[in-house]
Amino acid sequence: MKGAVTASAPGKVILLGEHAVVFGKTAISVAVGLRLHCRAEPSSFFSLNGHLLSPQTHGYIYQCVQQEWRGDPIAFQTRSEFPSGSGLGSSAAVTTSTLAVLAGMNGKGIDEERIARQAFTVESDVQGRASPIDTSTSSHGHGILIDSKPGPGLLWHIQKDTREWYIHHCPVPQLTLVVGFTGISAPTGPLVAKVKRYADKNTFAREVIEEIGMLSQEGVVCLRRNDQEGLGRLMTKDHRLLAILGVSCKELDKLVEAALPYSYGAKLTGAGGGGSMIALTDRPEIVAEEIRNKGGTPFIVRTDVAGVTLEK
Ligand code: MEV
């Protein structure tokens, strides 16, 4: 076993297709330049940030240890550049970076496919119903296209019950995105379960999910052509459809409306119910100011960033 090992993993924003992707529909996400850092060193007991590691409060790291570690106790320290429960994929980033430090402590390097698969298992165990979008984006970085069939840039294929996802590298042009965090921390599991209940009993909800998947397919074409106006229009439509599914809230709607006059498009990102929205814009400073004026916390984020990485 090695001495101290540190890894970091990026947060993500979903450009199109959250929730529908849990049903196996197309979705596009990009890793952003806000990272979560995880440090691990041998210790006399398992701990996280000085507290005894517990399955109740530290579910993701606890599960990583259960599934991947047979050695002596470890003290973990985490530091995040973005808030947890903000829709930016903090659970995925904590999971992929923990799996990376465990691999590092075993003297191994990073295998991004292996980490993406393990992280999806951990996230599904802790959160309940999930898709591999957050964990694959955090592991691979850059841009990810999830589709129901294989295509160019295929990275890996993940299957669970009757659902399957083909995960592709998605080349993403330089995009200027502003994230607006509502300040409301919203856990993903209950929102995903709420959409499932709605879809189980309502044909209209299932049609909305189909339509979100189709918007994502149109989004792939816009990205290929670097058509930001087209992409923005799809994002705003997607927000309206997600609101119909019941996963927006008044704080998210307020930030989206504030950003729209200065943006190609805006939408909630991630599970919703609070968390964050994103705006695609070429006027990031004004959009950030509008978000701040409406009580949100803005982050102007970089895209095309690396996935999970061991740090020197
Ligand atoms: C959360 O970032 C994205 C959701 O689609 C859930 C998932 O895909 O696991 C809401």
Side-chain angles (χ1 to χ4, degrees):
M1 183 160 86
K2 288 222 169 171
V5 176
T6 305
S8 75
K12 63 88 192 52
V13 297
I14 298 180
L15 294 180
L16 291 165
E18 49 273 272
H19 285 290
V21 68
V22 181
F23 294 81
K25 308 296 172 204
T26 308
I28 308 165
S29 69
V30 290
V32 296
L34 300 168
R35 299 187 78 83
L36 186 139
H37 306 262
C38 179
R39 181 176 191 275
E41 64 182 327
S43 173
S44 49
F45 60 99
F46 283 102
S47 66
L48 172 62
N49 297 335
H51 301 281
L52 201 62
L53 191 68
S54 118
Q56 282 80 29
T57 37
H58 314 126
Y60 295 95
I61 295 185
Y62 186 87
Q63 275 302 326
C64 291
V65 169
Q66 286 292 307
Q67 294 182 18
E68 288 302 319
W69 187 247
R70 300 287 165 263
D72 291 337
I74 295 175
F76 295 96
Q77 295 281 340
T78 57
R79 177 175 64 79
S80 182
E81 298 165 11
F82 58 102
S84 73
S86 58
L88 301 179
S90 59
S91 335
V94 85
T95 306
T96 57
S97 58
T98 302
L99 292 167
V101 290
L102 293 179
M105 291 192 78
N106 274 328
K108 294 190 184 139
I110 295 224
D111 175 342
E112 67 178 49
E113 173 174 349
R114 185 173 147 77
I115 289 184
R117 288 182 184 284
Q118 292 168 325
F120 175 58
T121 305
V122 168
E123 198 167 76
S124 304
D125 287 351
V126 178
Q127 175 183 303
R129 206 173 138 82
S131 84
I133 195 163
D134 290 11
T135 40
S136 283
T137 311
S138 186
S139 186
H140 177 66
H142 310 283
I144 289 277
L145 163 67
I146 298 210
D147 215 343
S148 55
K149 51 187 186 321
L154 181 68
L155 293 168
W156 45 80
H157 167 240
I158 292 184
Q159 201 163 358
K160 189 168 174 81
D161 47 60
T162 58
R163 298 165 299 155
E164 57 179 343
W165 300 270
Y166 290 90
I167 292 129
H168 304 78
H169 170 78
C170 178
V172 176
Q174 255 320 315
L175 301 175
T176 306
L177 292 167
V178 183
V179 172
F181 176 41
T182 57
I184 302 166
S185 167
T188 301
L191 287 149
V192 169
K194 178 178 167 180
V195 174
K196 167 97 168 63
R197 280 196 303 276
Y198 191 18
D200 279 348
K201 62 172 197 274
N202 193 303
T203 316
F204 174 63
R206 291 197 292 278
E207 284 169 6
V208 171
I209 289 166
E210 279 296 327
E211 206 176 325
I212 293 178
M214 281 173 339
L215 289 185
S216 304
Q217 285 171 13
E218 287 178 49
V220 177
V221 179
C222 292
L223 278 175
R224 242 180 247 140
R225 296 186 181 143
N226 196 6
D227 173 8
Q228 301 214 16
E229 280 179 25
L231 181 63
R233 264 196 304 275
L234 295 172
M235 288 167 63
T236 308
K237 266 195 205 166
D238 194 13
H239 180 75
R240 311 269 185 249
L241 294 174
L242 288 164
I244 292 172
L245 287 182
V247 294
S248 190
C249 63
K250 64 179 190 315
E251 291 80 1
L252 279 168
D253 292 343
K254 194 165 71 176
L255 298 187
V256 165
E257 294 310 321
L260 274 177
Y262 311 99
S263 306
Y264 296 116
K267 62 181 277 291
L268 70 83
T269 188
S276 300
M277 49 70 71
I278 47 169
L280 176 64
T281 180
D282 48 18
R283 297 158 84 186
E285 303 298 342
I286 300 181
V287 171
E289 190 55 35
E290 291 297 314
I291 288 172
R292 204 174 289 113
N293 289 341
K294 291 285 186 262
T297 306
F299 301 88
I300 299 172
V301 293
R302 248 173 354 103
T303 57
D304 202 19
V305 303
V308 67
T309 311
L310 279 172
E311 295 179 347
K312 290 278 169 282

